[in-house]
Amino acid sequence: MILVLLGAPGAGKGTQAEALAAATGAAHVATGDLFRAEIAAGSALGTTAKEFIDAGRLVPDEVTIAMIAARLARPDAAERVILDGFPRTAAQVEALDRAYAASGRRIEALLLDVDRDVLVARLTGRRVCPSCGRSYHLTNRPPRVDGCCDACGATLITRSDDAAETVAARLEHQLGALQAVVALYRDSGRLGVVSGTGGIDEIRERLARAAAAVGLTPR
C-alpha cells in the first residue's frame, strides 16, 4: 500500500513519517529528500528538476511523478510506502492515482490536523542543519548542544521561509492547496484525520493507531 501523510507546513509530517516508517518497515519517501538525492546523483530526472528549481519555477507534476515512480519501483518500496510531501495539489492527487490505477497498489491518506496558531509557533521555532538537512525545534525537538546539529555539528540556521514575516503568507498559500487535496481523499473515502496537537510521542501513538486501521501495521 501507499500511505499519503498530509499536513500543513509545521504539522510534523517529517518527524512522524520517519517514526512510523521505522515501526512498520515502510519506505519513507520524502519528496524534498528525493529531489536532492536525484540532483546529487546527476540522474536525468534530477537534471531536469534542477533546471526548474534553479530558475525559481515549480517542478512539473510529470517530472515529480516520474521521480516518485522510480523510487517506488525499488525493492524496499515494493510493499509499504509512506509518502511525505506529495501530493500537494489536486492535480498531483489525480496524477498519483492514474500512475497506480492498473497496478493494484492501494492509496490511503492520513491528515495531521493542527490549528493555525500552533502551526505558526512551530514554524518560527524550527531550525535546520544546512549540511545534512536534519530538522530541530527550539521547544519540541531541541539539539543536544544549543545551535549545533546532533549528527554533524554544523551550526543550525533558520530557513528563510520559517522567518516570522513569511510564515503567515506561506500558510495562506499552502493551506488552500492542502484543503483541495484533503477534499479529494475525503470524497473518495480514503481519508483519516489524526490530531497533530500534543507531545511528539502522543501524536505518534495516535498516528500509529490510524495507520493500523488502514492496514499499515507494526512489524
Side-chain angles (χ1 to χ4, degrees):
M1 73 172 298
I2 299 171
L3 178 66
V4 175
L5 188 58
L6 301 172
K13 296 187 301 298
T15 298
Q16 295 300 337
E18 194 176 289
L20 185 60
T24 60
H28 174 205
V29 178
T31 51
D33 293 343
L34 193 55
F35 277 128
R36 286 187 287 272
E38 292 288 341
I39 290 170
S43 70
L45 287 171
T47 300
T48 301
K50 188 175 187 298
E51 291 174 358
F52 286 92
I53 293 169
D54 288 348
R57 297 160 59 195
L58 291 175
V59 178
D61 289 347
E62 59 268 23
V63 176
T64 305
I65 280 284
M67 198 173 289
I68 289 173
R71 176 65 183 88
L72 267 56
R74 296 181 192 172
D76 69 316
E79 294 183 18
R80 299 171 157 210
V81 175
I82 299 171
L83 276 183
D84 168 13
F86 186 90
R88 292 179 181 268
T89 66
Q92 291 177 355
V93 172
E94 293 164 357
L96 184 65
D97 282 345
R98 284 195 304 272
Y100 292 98
S103 70
R105 296 197 78 168
R106 186 161 56 96
I107 301 174
E108 299 283 346
L110 292 177
L111 169 68
L112 280 175
D113 189 29
V114 182
D115 290 341
R116 188 188 184 98
D117 289 347
V118 176
L119 293 172
V120 170
R122 287 181 179 177
L123 288 169
T124 55
R126 289 206 302 195
R127 299 294 182 268
V128 178
C129 176
S131 179
C132 69
R134 182 169 292 195
S135 297
Y136 300 88
H137 193 277
L138 296 181
T139 303
N140 300 329
R141 194 183 185 186
R144 289 191 294 267
V145 177
D146 188 35
C148 296
C149 178
D150 293 347
C152 67
T155 300
L156 302 179
I157 62 171
T158 301
R159 297 193 317 186
S160 59
D161 55 358
D162 288 339
E165 61 272 17
T166 64
V167 164
R170 185 177 168 213
L171 286 174
E172 186 69 26
H173 173 72
Q174 295 195 30
L175 287 179
L178 174 63
Q179 288 167 2
V181 170
V182 167
L184 280 175
Y185 282 118
R186 179 183 289 120
D187 291 348
S188 64
R190 295 179 292 163
L191 179 75
V193 180
V194 177
S195 172
T197 302
I200 291 176
D201 290 345
E202 181 183 2
I203 298 167
R204 184 173 66 234
E205 290 175 3
R206 287 190 210 123
L207 185 61
R209 289 195 295 271
V214 295
L216 190 61
T217 53
R219 282 189 170 177

